[in-house]
Amino acid sequence: MVQEQYPLNNGGAIRLTVAKYFTPSGRSIQRDYSDRELYESDKDERYLHGDLFNKDSSLVKNNEVFKTLNLSRIVKASGGITPDIFVTMDTIFKNPHIYKIYDVLKEFTFRYCIQHKLSFMTIDSLMDWQIPDNFYKELIQFGYENEKVPLQIEDLHHLDDEVKKIMAKYLFGEIIAEEYNLKNDPFIKKAEEVIKGNYSLTDL
């Protein structure tokens, strides 16, 4: 077990990772976090390099190589696990301002849901709900105050699905949120495609 669960007074629980994850080949799936600043800047570095949009651009940071036990497939040690099937980040995030504001999106959405919780009680389905412009106006202000990001409302409506996924979790709980995410998550859709395509490990 690499996680331990601790109950909270409100009936919830927190799961704390207490050990490292290793693959059967003996390779740790976690990046080195001895340098905290370097660890936290990794995602931005990958974004600038294009790793989040193109699998072929993945950085290989050292020459370590692992081989899987069953098929002896070579796995390069690039500071994490390289997936067999790559799902690109939504191209809307190629706009560096939208990518930057994404860092504060969850925090802002949580605050918005708390402030406007009563207005959500009349909504039957988040999927059909139109996100009002005042949400994005407030997000733009919040983003500028925290990240100095200049944006227009027209840019941000591309984030509708992502905003609704976050809202579903805050407003209706994990189960309903998962139902929404399963219908819209690009990773789930790709997984279904692969499973139905009857691929073998050697095909991947």
Side-chain angles (χ1 to χ4, degrees):
M1 295 290 291
V2 296
Q3 288 187 325
E4 291 184 2
Q5 181 164 305
Y6 299 90
L8 301 175
N9 292 334
N10 63 0
I14 181 172
R15 288 182 178 175
L16 184 67
T17 299
V18 295
K20 292 183 178 181
Y21 288 82
F22 287 88
T23 67
S25 66
R27 180 187 177 205
S28 172
I29 69 170
Q30 285 144 321
R31 289 183 288 108
D32 179 21
Y33 47 82
S34 56
D35 185 329
R36 183 62 178 268
E37 185 176 346
L38 182 63
Y39 178 84
E40 292 183 346
S41 66
D42 182 76
K43 184 180 178 183
D44 288 340
E45 180 185 350
R46 291 171 59 208
Y47 172 81
L48 293 172
H49 189 266
D51 291 4
L52 303 180
F53 303 100
N54 302 284
K55 182 179 181 180
D56 292 340
S57 72
S58 295
L59 290 169
V60 177
K61 298 180 180 178
N62 56 55
N63 295 320
E64 266 191 287
V65 172
F66 289 92
K67 289 187 178 180
T68 59
L69 294 178
N70 293 329
L71 299 176
S72 295
R73 297 170 60 222
I74 293 177
V75 181
K76 295 180 179 179
S78 57
I81 294 296
T82 302
D84 293 315
I85 298 172
F86 180 77
V87 179
T88 180
M89 175 178 271
D90 194 317
T91 54
I92 182 60
F93 292 108
K94 286 187 175 181
N95 179 330
H97 296 313
I98 292 182
Y99 174 77
K100 196 67 177 175
I101 208 170
Y102 187 70
D103 290 341
V104 299
L105 184 61
K106 287 185 179 179
E107 180 183 352
F108 171 77
T109 303
F110 174 75
R111 294 185 181 200
Y112 184 89
C113 288
I114 295 298
Q115 293 172 357
H116 301 273
K117 192 165 186 177
L118 290 177
S119 66
F120 286 104
M121 291 183 176
T122 58
I123 297 175
D124 295 324
S125 171
L126 272 179
M127 295 182 70
D128 300 327
W129 179 62
Q130 297 296 313
I131 298 177
D133 280 349
N134 77 296
F135 174 90
Y136 288 119
K137 287 178 181 178
E138 293 176 28
L139 174 59
I140 288 171
Q141 182 64 30
F142 188 79
Y144 188 77
E145 291 173 354
N146 288 271
E147 297 289 345
K148 298 298 183 282
V149 178
L151 280 170
Q152 301 294 322
I153 290 178
E154 293 75 16
D155 299 323
L156 292 176
H157 273 295
H158 295 285
L159 293 174
D160 281 1
D161 284 341
E162 190 63 34
V163 170
K164 289 180 180 181
K165 283 196 293 185
I166 298 171
M167 284 184 169
K169 180 178 179 179
Y170 290 150
L171 293 170
F172 308 119
E174 293 283 353
I175 295 178
I176 293 179
E178 284 305 313
E179 290 178 357
Y180 181 85
N181 292 344
L182 288 175
K183 294 177 182 178
N184 298 277
D185 191 282
F187 296 95
I188 297 296
K189 290 180 179 178
K190 188 63 179 180
E192 288 180 339
E193 177 188 325
V194 173
I195 292 171
K196 292 177 181 178
N198 197 29
Y199 292 94
S200 67
L201 283 176
T202 52
D203 293 328
L204 302 175

